[in-house]
């Protein structure tokens, strides 16, 4: 029993309660994995046959880690425990029982790409518009239906669903779902969602099979129960119906996957399913400092729909949470990068001790560029580096073709993306013609009627004309205007905009973020040449990776907050804490959606062990327009006793400042005064206007500019010159602007109007 000696009283009580329904509410950093593994080990030590224990997790990594820990206590017997993800465990059961529901035991499992490919074939056969019936959208629609146990037949019979589909011009979704189901069945294939859907069908249609597994799995444990969907919930409930030796472990405060179908009510209402339930709360946080834990508590206290608990820490008090304000997202990246460099210079440590968390993948661009500029190594966790993402590479390929039409790789990448009737056969003909006549691919494409037959020449010629048009635009327009023109007229923007899936929205946002970066490049005052070709050179240098594949490399971790769940780092930066970004604008339609965003913020905060920094920008580009931003309402909800502002408020002492004070000091409308409305308004807050230049604004001759002079800048507003340095064409002016504070500008690019 020595393995129990290291547990605190709450942990030990949860481990030793092996019989009956149990719910373990595990706060962040409370030793949840240790409790699960020791509880399973304790069952085996008490004589329970490992073959009668089922442990369900959400990741293979979690299952592997748990099994290894159990083996240290009970030895090789741990190998006999049924342990794994929901999908892996029930795929194993279906391999044995599939013939009951008409599938072969060696059925194929389709991954997402397989499923989407089949859907595209069905759309083509049904002669449906693949823009209106985008394959990703259709796939997600079918997936959502299956996770809610709605079969293809039920989908087509449901009047409410049909009315919604027809109102959106997608009345054929039911038929697509039915055809997709039939084709999978005919091919002896199940998709990822079928592994749970078909298990439910199996247990419903064949009570004897359900009875078999109810008696086999005498003890059930479910990790991360707050992340279960309806399909998973029903399987677990059926399996536990006879013995009721079910233990679920989770934290409602960390339920952040509603977009995947997770239902927080599964854990909130667990006691209704099992009136004899015993509840254990793991409330001691072993991960974070007291300041971080207390701050996290002050955030989640604002959620009404939750299981109450008092998470605490006996670790050191720790440093206060630093809050940084930046003028732009690029400046925010610079602040974060310099903070990492300074921390290592002063206190040592490894780069792997640092993590930068953001709400959306698109935010990684500014962070990546800032880290690269001062040679800080980084790794994108759970995603792809910004400039390596497919949609970014697709648009950049168009840029490359605009300046170098002989770029064969760029041609092959985008000649039929978005689709324009140039299939693989036509591409093969282009390749053959170029080889036979010893000319470039572009020679064939630009003279399609000479080298190709009439049927192929038409769409290829249209493509060539489009690229030639891009070349003309690029020569006479700014980098941003040229890039926006190419993004629009290539069809990429339209293609991604019409993909309403979660993935499609993310890709659309990434293109927007690339264009934002080009807009900022176009307005830089420290460079003279600002064409799109110069930007492309910068990108080529920026993305020249060393391809270091060492998983133990000492790098800063960049990731979305969703990807960070289950991880921890000594130093964490949470960036982009602005209204309509975090919380997301899409979450402001209901209290439940806003509360999920708040749980996401709670998860982010509790990833930090020693130091936590929060940051936001007062302005961000959106489609080439600079928008003012308001600090996130979540910053107001943090107890100011645990915060340290790295900027001085204009009107109040730092020790008593709140973010409401900050907004008031900037002359912004305070939309966060208490009490807040019960349901957040559907309309977004009215943002303050940026500086409006004086009518007839014309830059002055600044050759005789002197310290003490008042000046006006088109974007930054009014300010006073406080220092001048350098000589001739390299004079730098340090100016204190009334609204933005101190900035240093290269005078020859600054475009200042001397006021007096």
């Amino acid at each position: 029993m020595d393995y129990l000696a290291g547990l605190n009283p709450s942990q030990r009580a949860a481990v030793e309660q092996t019989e009956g329904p149990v719910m373990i509410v595990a706060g962040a950093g409370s030793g949840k994995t240790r409790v699960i593994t020791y509880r399973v080990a304790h069952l085996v030590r008490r004589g329970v046959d490992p073959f009668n224990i089922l442990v369900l997790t959400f990741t293979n990594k979690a299952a592997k880690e748990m099994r290894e820990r159990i083996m240290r206590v009970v030895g090789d017997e741990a190998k006999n425990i049924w342990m794994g993800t929901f999908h892996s465990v029930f795929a194993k059961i279906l391999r044995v029982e599939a013939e009951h529901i008409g599938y072969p035991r060696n059925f194929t499992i389709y991954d997402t790409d397989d499923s989407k490919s089949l859907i595209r074939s069905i759309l083509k056969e049904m002669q449906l518009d693949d823009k209106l019936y985008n394959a990703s959208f259709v796939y997600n629609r079918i997936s959502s239906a299956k996770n809610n146990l709605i079969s293809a037949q039920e989908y087509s019979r449901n009047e409410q669903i049909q009315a919604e589909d027809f109102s959106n011009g997608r009345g054929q979704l039911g038929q697509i779902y039915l055809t997709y189901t039939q084709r999978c069945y005919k091919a002896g294939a199940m998709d990822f969602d079928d592994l749970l859907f078909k298990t439910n069908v199996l247990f419903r249609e064949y009570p004897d099979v359900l009875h078999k597994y109810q008696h086999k799995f005498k003890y059930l444990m479910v990790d991360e129960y707050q992340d279960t969907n309806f399909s998973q919930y029903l399987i677990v409930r059926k399996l536990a119906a006879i013995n009721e030796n079910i233990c679920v472990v989770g934290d409602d405060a960390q339920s952040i996957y509603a977009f995947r179908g997770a239902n927080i009510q599964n854990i909130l209402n667990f006691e209704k399913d099992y009136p004899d339930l015993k509840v254990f709360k793991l409330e001691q946080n072993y991960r974070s400092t007291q300041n971080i834990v207390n701050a996290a508590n002050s955030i989640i206290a604002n959620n009404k729909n939750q299981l109450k608990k008092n998470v605490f820490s006996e670790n050191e008090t720790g440093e206060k949470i630093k809050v940084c304000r930046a003028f732009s997202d690029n400046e925010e990246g610079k602040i974060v990068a310099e903070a990492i460099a300074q921390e290592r210079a002063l206190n040592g440590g490894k780069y792997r001790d640092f993590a930068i968390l953001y709400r959306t993948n698109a935010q990684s661009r500014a962070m990546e560029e800032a880290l690269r500029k001062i040679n800080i190594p980084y790794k994108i966790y759970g995603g792809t580096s910004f400039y390596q993402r497919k949609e970014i590479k697709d648009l950049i390929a168009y840029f490359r073709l605009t300046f170098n039409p002989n770029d064969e790789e760029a041609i092959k990448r985008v000649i039929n993306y978005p689709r324009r009737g140039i299939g693989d056969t036509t591409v093969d003909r282009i390749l053959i013609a170029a080889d036979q006549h010893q000319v470039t691919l572009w020679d064939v494409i630009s003279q399609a009627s000479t080298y190709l037959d009439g049927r192929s020449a038409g769409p290829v010629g249209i493509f060539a004309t489009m690229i030639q048009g891009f070349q003309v635009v690029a020569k006479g327009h700014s980098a941003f205007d040229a890039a926006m023109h190419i993004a629009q007229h290539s069809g990429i923007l339209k293609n991604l905009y019409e993909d309403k899936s979660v993935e499609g929205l993310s890709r659309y946002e990434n293109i927007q973020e690339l264009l934002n970066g080009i807009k900022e490049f176009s307005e830089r005052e420290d460079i003279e040449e600002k064409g799109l070709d110069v930007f492309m050179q910068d990108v080529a240098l920026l993305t020249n990776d060393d391809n270091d594949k060492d998983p133990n490399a000492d790098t800063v971790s960049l990731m979305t907050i969703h990807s960070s769940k289950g991880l921890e780092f000594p130093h964490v930066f949470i960036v982009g804490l602005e209204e309509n970004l975090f919380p997301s604008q899409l979450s402001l339609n209901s209290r439940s959606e806003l509360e999920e965003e708040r749980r996401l913020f709670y998860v982010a905060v509790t990833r930090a062990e020693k130091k936590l920094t929060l940051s936001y920008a007062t302005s961000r580009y959106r489609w080439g327009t600079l928008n003012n931003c308001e600090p996130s309402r979540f910053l107001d909800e943090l107890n100011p006793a645990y915060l340290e502002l790295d900027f001085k408020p204009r009107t109040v002492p730092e020790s008593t400042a709140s973010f409401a004070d900050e907004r008031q000091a900037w002359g912004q409308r305070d939309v966060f005064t208490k009490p807040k409305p019960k349901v957040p308004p559907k309309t977004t807050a009215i943002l303050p206007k940026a500086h409006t230049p004086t009518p007839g604004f014309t830059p002055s001759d600044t050759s005789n500019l002197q310290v003490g002079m008042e000046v006006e800048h088109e974007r930054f507003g009014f300010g006073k010159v406080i220092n001048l340095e350098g000589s001739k064409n390299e004079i730098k002016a340090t100016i204190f602007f009334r609204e933005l504070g101190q900035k240093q500008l290269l005078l020859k690019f600054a475009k200042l109007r001397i006021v007096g």
Side-chain angles (χ1 to χ4, degrees), residues 140-191:
N140 287 326
R141 187 75 168 177
I142 293 173
S143 174
S144 178
K146 289 182 180 180
N147 286 330
N148 285 286
L149 300 183
I150 300 172
S151 68
Q153 292 79 8
E154 290 169 323
Y155 188 100
S156 297
R157 290 196 300 263
N158 188 300
E159 294 181 2
Q160 183 177 348
I161 293 176
Q162 291 302 299
E164 179 185 347
D165 287 348
F166 275 98
S167 68
N168 293 324
R170 296 189 176 98
Q172 295 297 312
L173 279 172
Q175 184 59 49
I176 297 169
Y177 185 8
L178 183 61
T179 304
Y180 173 78
T181 301
Q182 292 169 343
R183 294 278 283 274
C184 286
Y185 181 78
K186 185 177 179 181
M190 295 188 197
D191 65 21

Side-chain angles (χ1 to χ4, degrees), residues 134-321:
N134 178 273
S136 293
F137 174 84
V138 174
Y139 171 79
N140 287 326
R141 187 75 168 177
I142 293 173
S143 174
S144 178
K146 289 182 180 180
N147 286 330
N148 285 286
L149 300 183
I150 300 172
S151 68
Q153 292 79 8
E154 290 169 323
Y155 188 100
S156 297
R157 290 196 300 263
N158 188 300
E159 294 181 2
Q160 183 177 348
I161 293 176
Q162 291 302 299
E164 179 185 347
D165 287 348
F166 275 98
S167 68
N168 293 324
R170 296 189 176 98
Q172 295 297 312
L173 279 172
Q175 184 59 49
I176 297 169
Y177 185 8
L178 183 61
T179 304
Y180 173 78
T181 301
Q182 292 169 343
R183 294 278 283 274
C184 286
Y185 181 78
K186 185 177 179 181
M190 295 188 197
D191 65 21
F192 205 58
D193 298 305
D194 278 330
L195 299 177
L196 301 181
F197 182 85
K198 298 298 183 184
T199 298
N200 272 293
V201 171
L202 176 69
F203 288 167
R204 182 191 65 198
E205 301 294 332
Y206 296 90
D208 56 326
V209 175
L210 172 61
H211 187 264
K212 169 184 172 181
Y213 289 100
Q214 284 174 331
H215 285 80
K216 175 176 180 58
F217 300 131
K218 296 179 180 178
Y219 293 86
L220 275 73
M221 287 193 69
V222 184
D223 188 19
E224 304 286 9
Y225 190 68
Q226 77 279 350
D227 294 334
T228 53
N229 59 32
F230 179 63
S231 182
Q232 292 162 329
Y233 161 81
L234 203 58
I235 291 173
V236 170
R237 189 174 178 187
K238 285 180 178 179
L239 288 175
I242 292 180
N243 296 297
E244 290 200 348
N245 291 326
I246 178 173
C247 173
V248 300
V249 186
D251 181 7
D252 60 295
Q254 298 185 64
S255 178
I256 60 174
Y257 293 118
F259 69 95
R260 295 182 187 169
N263 188 350
I264 192 175
Q265 298 303 320
N266 291 350
I267 192 168
L268 295 178
N269 296 330
F270 193 67
E271 190 168 3
K272 293 181 180 179
D273 293 334
Y274 301 95
D276 297 331
L277 180 71
K278 290 183 171 58
V279 179
F280 299 90
K281 296 182 179 180
L282 309 183
E283 297 174 309
Q284 183 172 354
N285 181 300
Y286 292 93
R287 175 188 301 154
S288 307
T289 63
Q290 293 181 29
N291 269 328
I292 293 172
V293 170
N294 292 337
N297 288 341
S298 71
I299 297 162
I300 205 63
N302 290 277
N303 273 12
K304 291 187 175 181
N305 201 13
Q306 62 174 302
L307 300 171
K308 293 294 183 182
K309 53 186 175 297
N310 179 33
V311 179
F312 66 94
S313 173
E314 293 183 353
N315 295 337
E316 61 181 343
T317 303
E319 297 183 16
K320 289 188 176 183
I321 297 170

Side-chain angles (χ1 to χ4, degrees), residues 145 385 552:
S385 176
N552 298 315

Side-chain angles (χ1 to χ4, degrees), residues 86 174 312 526 531 621 665:
F86 276 87
F312 66 94
D526 59 340
Y621 276 99

Side-chain angles (χ1 to χ4, degrees), residues 704-724:
N704 294 317
L705 189 69
Q706 298 177 17
V707 173
M709 284 186 171
E710 295 281 344
V711 295
E712 180 186 10
H713 186 279
E714 277 188 295
R715 278 198 299 150
F716 304 154
F718 294 97
K720 177 181 286 189
V721 180
I722 61 175
N723 187 47
L724 294 168

